[in-house]
Amino acid sequence: MEGVAGSGSLPRLRLDDLLEELQARIDEVRGTRDRVHGLLEAVVSVGQELDLPEVLQRIVEAAVVLVDAGYGALGVIGEDHRTLAQFIPVGMSEEQVEAIGPLPAGHGILGELIRHPEPLRLAELSEHAASYGIPENHPPMHSFLGVPIRVRDEVFGNLYLTEKRTAKEFDAEDEAVVSTLAVAAGVAIENARMYEEARRRERWLKASTEVTSSLLSGAPQSQVLELIVNSARHISSAALAVVALPVEGAQELQVARAVGFAAERHLSLVTPCEGSFMGAAFITGETVTTTDIEHDPRITVGPRRWAGLGPAVAVPMGTGEGVRGVLLLARPQGEPVFTESETGPLLGFADQAAVALELAERRRDAEQLVLLADRDRIARDLHDLAIQRLFATGMTLQSMQRFVAHPEATERLQRAVDDLDATIKIIRSTIFGLRTHEGGPTEPGLRVRVAESIEEAVPQLGFTPALRMEGLVDTDVPRDMADHVVAVLGEALTNIARHARASAAEISLAVAGHGLRLTVVDNGRGIAVGTPRGGLRNISERAQALGGDVRLEEPSGGGTRLVWAVPLPGD
């Protein structure tokens, strides 16, 4: 009986084992199914997002959940392919991250994956030869799984997972799952980068259009520079934006606009091109970048003003005629460096802004020329029409005085003549103001000098000569020739005052064709015999020195006409 009973229990034991094994297989299948389902959900979740920072965050969070890791991180490899430009941790609180200190730069085990981008599993992280330098306040970590993320043929970064919760170490299945996620992550990152670049190009294009429209619509340059720095700072997610323009006649840059972090340190600052970060971009005409502008070795002059800032880029604002300025952007310490995908559109924006500034400047120059020409026309009309009529009226009133016997009437006529002379002087003063407006401290033009010479001679003459000027007197007559003109006019007026006994004179200065002609006519007694010729000899010698000549004529109504004519240079 015992044998029978014993033999009956054996199949039951085997059946229990089989049932137990079957249950284990079912659990394994269910677990595999759940893991596959979780992997698919993670892939879909990661692929739905187009914002790159959010994509990176979702990738590392999904990896931690899929392999039941205590901690995870995603490290983005920098452009130097040796260090980490960005590090996104998961599983630690903000307090823990802050207590640890600066985020990893890519040394130790993290650097091992950068140098050898292949999956790496470790049961004990500290036993690997590359493991060192665990910072203080860092939580303990033993098991480790690292998997590279590739975007096309480029290693974008690495997934780092530590502290497997349900086992002593990560297994091959964990590696396969995370490797699969890394493939999907690479596709999601590429899509997000393409989307981000397209949006960035669109924002740069919109900003360039706004800058050009503002300048061409007549907005002040200061307002446009403000628009440039604000647009660049916003699009590039920079903390500080600065525009510096060259100082005329000096190898220096002056900050014209600064917005953002500690902008007051930079406003109106003047620094040499040599020894400054922006100066390096201005001198070379190329984009200049740094990971730490506060300690950049190229900065050797100027006050300390970069504290708290790290990554920075300076781009020249160039046109076909040279560099017109420099645009600088900077981010706080610890922020991502400026990549080529960012600096390329930034350089294009800066060049477009420089072209717009140049076009606006040329437009302002053209408007200024039109304004000056209009003022010259008004001044000429005032002189040729208003002054001449007033002068003729005054002469008529003066001639009527000898026909008026009543003393009071004679006095009134004289006051009217005096008022007309005063009015003429006022109009001439207005003419001078029109022709010298906005001239600044520069040397006055020939028009002004001729008018001043006449005014100076009025006390000696006893009357005010009529003056007519034609042509581009100020622009076509060089300075040395203008000196001769003023000297000749002075000699001619002195001769009239001393010898002619004239009561009126007319002066004409004309620039036409290829020459200049100064004509001085008076109604005096003409050139009497025995008149000293020293002044006339000087006038003649000045004309000969310039390749011209002098003619003395006697008009039919009496008096003297002096014609001094010289060719303009280059003719």
Side-chain angles (χ1 to χ4, degrees), residues 80-376:
D80 60 0
H81 304 291
R82 297 193 305 271
T83 58
L84 295 177
Q86 194 174 355
F87 191 80
I88 305 167
V90 169
M92 289 187 286
S93 65
E94 293 183 4
E95 292 75 12
Q96 285 178 299
V97 173
E98 186 176 349
I100 292 172
L103 295 175
H107 305 296
I109 286 293
L110 306 186
E112 183 70 16
L113 261 76
I114 296 176
R115 293 185 293 272
H116 307 287
E118 299 293 337
L120 176 64
R121 277 189 294 127
L122 300 172
E124 179 54 53
L125 191 150
S126 61
E127 294 179 357
H128 193 278
S131 179
Y132 70 92
I134 302 298
E136 190 178 353
N137 299 321
H138 198 285
M141 294 181 179
H142 301 281
S143 55
F144 174 84
L145 172 61
V147 175
I149 299 176
R150 286 182 169 84
V151 177
R152 297 186 180 178
D153 296 329
E154 173 192 357
V155 178
F156 174 82
N158 296 302
L159 274 170
Y160 307 111
L161 303 161
T162 60
E163 291 301 285
K164 174 80 172 177
R165 296 178 186 272
T166 54
K168 185 178 180 181
E169 60 180 299
F170 297 98
D171 57 21
E173 187 175 334
D174 293 326
E175 180 183 320
V177 169
V178 176
S179 295
T180 303
L181 177 65
V183 174
V187 176
I189 290 170
E190 176 68 7
N191 290 338
R193 287 168 72 177
M194 292 174 63
Y195 176 71
E196 186 176 274
E197 289 178 8
R199 289 181 59 194
R200 188 183 296 120
R201 283 195 297 269
E202 182 181 351
R203 291 196 295 269
W204 283 124
L205 181 61
K206 182 180 178 181
S208 297
T209 302
E210 290 178 352
V211 169
T212 303
S213 299
S214 297
L215 279 169
L216 298 183
S217 63
Q221 187 182 67
S222 59
Q223 179 181 329
V224 177
L225 292 176
E226 192 84 16
L227 176 61
I228 290 173
V229 293
N230 280 319
S231 299
R233 176 172 172 253
H234 175 70
I235 296 173
S236 299
S237 300
L240 172 69
V242 175
V243 165
L245 303 179
V247 177
E248 187 175 356
Q251 286 295 310
E252 295 177 326
L253 292 174
Q254 180 172 20
V255 174
R257 278 293 179 276
V259 295
F261 179 80
E264 65 280 359
R265 302 177 189 168
H266 307 270
L267 287 173
S268 301
L269 186 67
V270 177
T271 58
C273 293
E274 290 287 348
S276 66
F277 188 74
M278 289 184 290
F282 183 82
I283 292 172
T284 62
E286 298 177 353
T287 300
V288 178
T289 59
T290 181
T291 58
D292 185 4
I293 191 170
E294 184 179 2
H295 302 99
D296 192 276
R298 284 166 290 200
I299 302 176
T300 59
V301 297
R304 295 178 60 85
R305 60 193 184 279
W306 305 107
L309 295 171
V313 58
V315 294
M317 301 171 62
T319 65
E321 298 181 359
V323 180
R324 296 182 59 86
V326 176
L327 173 61
L328 176 140
L329 299 173
R331 290 171 176 158
Q333 290 179 352
E335 291 288 318
V337 299
F338 288 90
T339 63
E340 291 184 5
S341 62
E342 292 177 303
T343 58
L346 175 62
L347 179 60
F349 170 74
D351 288 344
Q352 183 69 24
V355 171
L357 286 171
E358 183 171 337
L359 289 175
E361 184 176 314
R362 292 187 177 182
R363 188 203 62 186
R364 286 193 298 270
D365 289 343
E367 291 175 349
Q368 184 68 15
L369 287 175
V370 171
L371 178 62
L372 292 175
D374 197 41
R375 285 177 178 156
D376 192 61

Side-chain angles (χ1 to χ4, degrees), residues 423-499:
T423 302
I424 290 173
K425 290 181 179 180
I426 291 173
I427 294 176
R428 280 189 171 141
S429 177
T430 303
I431 293 173
F432 301 156
L434 284 171
R435 288 168 173 168
T436 60
H437 184 68
E438 295 181 354
T442 57
E443 190 74 22
L446 180 57
R447 286 181 181 272
V448 174
R449 297 177 67 188
V450 167
E452 289 176 346
S453 296
I454 294 174
E455 289 293 330
E456 292 173 358
V458 167
Q460 299 179 30
L461 294 170
F463 59 86
T464 301
L467 173 64
R468 177 191 298 270
M469 286 188 276
E470 299 178 0
L472 300 177
V473 173
D474 285 334
T475 57
D476 285 0
V477 181
R479 174 57 193 267
D480 57 344
M481 181 177 286
D483 293 340
H484 286 292
V485 172
V486 173
V488 168
L489 178 59
E491 292 274 7
L493 293 175
T494 299
N495 287 337
I496 293 175
R498 290 179 178 177
H499 310 295

Side-chain angles (χ1 to χ4, degrees), residues 13 29 32 66 100 108 123 168 193 258 261 319 380 390 392 396 404 409 413 432 455 523 541 557:
L13 290 172
V29 170
T32 302
L66 284 173
I100 292 172
K168 185 178 180 181
R193 287 168 72 177
F261 179 80
T319 65
R380 186 171 59 251
L390 289 173
T396 301
V404 178
L413 282 174
F432 301 156
E455 289 293 330
N523 64 350
E541 288 176 353

